[in-house]
Amino acid sequence: MVPSFDFSNRWMKDTHKGTPVENPIFSVVEINGADAAAFRPAEKTRGRNVKQVTWFLFLKVYHAIGCVTWFSTVMWSVLRAMRKRLVQREGVALESDKLEKGKVLFSVIKVFLVSSLVVLVFEVVAYLQGWHIGNPSLHIPRAADLEGLMHFVYVAWLRFRGEYIAPPLRALSKFCVVLFLIQSVDRMVLCFGCFWIKYKKIKPRIDEDALKVDDIEGNACNHPMVLVQIPMCNEREVYEQSISAVCQIDWPRDRLLIQVLDDSDDESIQWLIKAEVTKWSQKGINIIYRHRIVRTGYKAGNLKSAMSCDYVKDYEFVAIFDADFQPNPDFLKQTVPYFKDNPELGLVQARWAFVNKDENLLTRLQNINLCFHFEVEQQVNGAFLNFFGFNGTAGVWRIKALEESGGWLERTTVEDMDIAVRAHLHGWKFIFVNDVKVLCEVPESYEAYRKQQHRWHSGPMQLFRLCLPAILRSKISAWKKGNLILLFFMLRKLILPFYSFTLFCIILPLTMFVPEAELPLWVICYVPVFMSFLNILPAPKYFPFIVPYLLFENTMSVTKFIAMVSGLFQLGSSYEWIVTKKAGRLSESDLVVAAEREAKSTIEHRKIHRGASDSLIVESNQCKERKETSGTPVKKANKIYKKELTLAFILLTASVRSLLSAQGVHFYYLLFQGVTFLLVGLDLIGEQMS
């Protein structure tokens, strides 16, 4: 039944409890005898109590009106945002239909929405007729007792629901709950491992004398030959700061070579990067610029082409930094020494730190996820298994390990995970250094984040299909094979997006219309909140965002599920690579350096012109002029995501059905989750385009 909002019963229940001393709303009158006059002040007090009751009720009404006003304001803001999105959508050229992904799933979701609305109409009518729809064990009357066609249809629906829909739905929900519990146990084990590392102070050992000078004069040193690669593609916003940071790494210049691997197809960006490389080359930095005319294989093809150079054989290690990464000057001194006297070590991975983690709500939620990934997953797997997925950047590889593992392959969009798995199968070990952090960016817009997550979740499924035979044939131990297949791929890459989407976005709304298969409260509330609590532990200052984090993760399960399916079954979007949009944010220290650099820009500009060729300078200046005098930029607008919006209305429809059955926690969860889907569908989270 609908929850009662009658405050009079509650008031009367409170007034009759206890003695007058326990209820201070009554006045205490000292009675010395049976004189009736002694009771006259009490009657006045009763009059005052009536006034207090009136004021109490007025106060409750005032609060109720305030809540209704607040809710109306929020809904009006959402409607205005929706109208704004629709207007922007009309003014911006839409993408072609061939770029639309997940049409089949979108059609299924639309059918699901229409069915939910039809069933909700039946349920509302049944509720108004007093047919007690909230009771799963409803007694179905005989056909002779039926009155009216509507009642007959409703009873037929109840029979069909109980005999044909409820049993398979219960079986599917139990299966997903089991997967949910298994994944929760895995998450708890990882957290316990992280706690044990902190408690025992387990850290990779480093030889402090590895880079010590051999003789007093310092003519010979133990610094190995290191190659640094910066792959980039149309990175106009961040190319300068990444090249600048890498060129300032503290390492002997004759033992360091920097490759700027530019895959840009924009000539203006090419010449800007060339000019930046020329500037640092004139300062004595050993840096070269490489550009591929045919951009095949994306990042893997770029790295593979660079490793094919003849001079690479003179180098022992290679460090890789994406275009938005800014390593500290002592990065190589903090990572390369781990390789000394450790011939089985193939990779040293550093941790990421984010310059824009507090830019908006989306970046904060991403920071929670990535902090858990590095602090818990990477650190625990590195400490106890000597294996984890290479993050594609901010790491140092032994070149011999890359060559023995087959080098960079172009078969998937996760070339970093691919090379890590193949190196693990060849017996190489990995080390994760949690204390070494490299600054970078997280996507600030939902569109960029969504495309990034699609690539990160479709690629592993591609790789799983391709690597499974090699894993089974490899000579590594059985428990390592089990870890790769069952935990690394299936549980964390396949099962997680499957049950998240199926359980919380499909089964839970369905159970509101099929109460025979209702999910228990601990599945909806207690366990997810506890798991979210564990995820936020590595970033404790973000505890106020635990509820938005939980709701947003469920919302992202749609994108992750579609990506997982496309990668597993080799669908059209599984091999799609879109460069993540960067904003070019600088840290506080970088801002100071940038100000000092600006003050010396005139002198540096003259020095470059003296040493550079005339043709290069002329073309670079022309390119900068075209950039400055270019016409009005193409207007961009926030998008509307149909699948998220459709699921939002499904969840909100289910919340109305839950309200009719007086299911408190279910109602609030469905309501807030539906609103979250609505906000994400309207692209109201993250960067807002003007």
Side-chain angles (χ1 to χ4, degrees), residues 296-307:
T296 59
Y298 303 113
K299 181 180 176 181
N302 199 0
L303 294 173
K304 181 179 179 179
S305 174
M307 293 298 293

Side-chain angles (χ1 to χ4, degrees), residues 82 247 264 285 290 334 426 430 438 473 529 592 617 624:
M82 184 183 299
C247 289
S264 302
I285 302 299
R290 281 180 56 86
Q334 290 184 316
H426 282 78
F430 304 161
V438 181
R473 293 193 304 263
V529 171
V592 176
I617 296 301
K624 289 183 179 181

Side-chain angles (χ1 to χ4, degrees), residues 78 82 109 446 500-501 504-506 509 550-559 640-652 669-685:
V78 171
M82 184 183 299
I109 293 175
Y446 177 69
S500 297
F501 173 73
F504 295 107
C505 299
I506 300 298
L550 172 61
L551 298 173
F552 181 70
E553 282 300 295
N554 290 336
T555 305
M556 285 303 301
S557 65
V558 181
T559 298
I640 294 178
Y641 301 97
K642 296 180 181 179
K643 287 186 286 292
E644 283 79 358
L645 284 179
T646 309
L647 281 170
F649 290 114
I650 289 176
L651 290 166
L652 293 175
Y669 174 83
L670 290 167
L671 175 63
F672 291 129
Q673 189 65 71
V675 172
T676 305
F677 266 100
L678 185 63
L679 296 177
V680 173
L682 295 174
D683 200 4
L684 293 174
I685 182 173

Side-chain angles (χ1 to χ4, degrees), residues 277-292:
V277 171
T278 302
K279 180 182 75 174
W280 287 101
S281 179
Q282 295 301 318
K283 294 182 179 181
I285 302 299
N286 193 9
I287 183 172
I288 61 175
Y289 173 86
R290 281 180 56 86
H291 175 72
R292 294 192 306 161

Side-chain angles (χ1 to χ4, degrees), residues 195-406:
F195 171 77
W196 188 256
I197 291 174
K198 299 289 185 183
Y199 178 71
K200 291 293 184 178
K201 298 181 180 179
I202 301 175
K203 289 184 178 181
R205 295 181 180 179
I206 188 173
D207 186 0
E208 297 180 356
D209 299 331
L211 303 177
K212 210 168 187 181
V213 178
D214 291 341
D215 60 297
I216 299 177
E217 295 180 358
N219 294 326
C221 66
N222 293 329
H223 292 77
M225 300 287 286
V226 178
L227 175 68
V228 180
Q229 296 178 333
I230 313 176
M232 58 179 62
C233 178
N234 297 325
E235 307 282 2
R236 183 189 297 271
E237 295 81 9
V238 294
Y239 76 92
E240 185 176 2
Q241 61 197 45
S242 61
I243 295 175
S244 174
V246 171
C247 289
Q248 297 179 52
I249 289 180
D250 185 11
W251 201 257
R253 294 186 177 182
D254 60 337
R255 309 190 73 81
L256 179 69
L257 173 63
I258 301 172
Q259 287 182 320
V260 178
L261 311 177
D262 182 24
D263 261 3
S264 302
D265 54 8
D266 188 334
E267 292 186 2
S268 63
I269 300 178
Q270 293 177 25
W271 287 112
L272 290 174
I273 297 175
K274 285 181 182 179
E276 185 70 16
V277 171
T278 302
K279 180 182 75 174
W280 287 101
S281 179
Q282 295 301 318
K283 294 182 179 181
I285 302 299
N286 193 9
I287 183 172
I288 61 175
Y289 173 86
R290 281 180 56 86
H291 175 72
R292 294 192 306 161
I293 299 177
V294 181
R295 182 178 173 245
T296 59
Y298 303 113
K299 181 180 176 181
N302 199 0
L303 294 173
K304 181 179 179 179
S305 174
M307 293 298 293
S308 64
C309 297
D310 294 335
Y311 53 80
V312 173
K313 64 179 181 295
D314 299 328
Y315 293 84
E316 187 177 358
F317 305 103
V318 55
I320 302 173
F321 300 100
D322 282 350
D324 59 317
F325 279 71
Q326 307 168 48
N328 291 326
D330 59 349
F331 175 83
L332 291 180
K333 291 186 176 180
Q334 290 184 316
T335 54
V336 173
Y338 287 102
F339 289 97
K340 185 177 182 182
D341 300 328
N342 196 354
E344 296 181 347
L345 182 61
L347 168 67
V348 176
Q349 174 71 60
R351 180 174 176 172
W352 301 357
F354 310 105
V355 296
N356 61 338
K357 60 184 178 181
D358 293 321
E359 188 66 25
N360 53 48
L361 178 60
L362 178 61
T363 58
R364 291 184 175 94
L365 300 180
Q366 291 180 73
N367 183 60
I368 294 173
N369 261 340
L370 292 171
C371 282
F372 182 86
H373 170 69
F374 287 108
E375 185 85 14
V376 180
E377 293 178 340
Q378 298 290 76
Q379 187 172 210
V380 171
N381 290 325
F384 296 106
L385 302 177
N386 295 121
F387 167 72
F388 48 82
F390 175 46
N391 294 116
T393 177
V396 181
W397 276 95
R398 190 189 296 270
I399 295 181
K400 182 180 178 181
L402 291 176
E403 293 174 347
E404 288 188 359
S405 303

Side-chain angles (χ1 to χ4, degrees), residues 24 46 100 185 249 254 306 351 353-354 359 362 367 386 406 460 471 510 520 532-533 540 586 597 601 613 634:
R46 290 174 186 169
E100 179 117 9
V185 171
I249 289 180
D254 60 337
R351 180 174 176 172
F354 310 105
E359 188 66 25
L362 178 61
N367 183 60
N386 295 121
I471 295 174
L510 269 178
S532 299
F533 175 80
L586 296 174
R597 188 187 306 163
S601 60
S613 63
V634 179

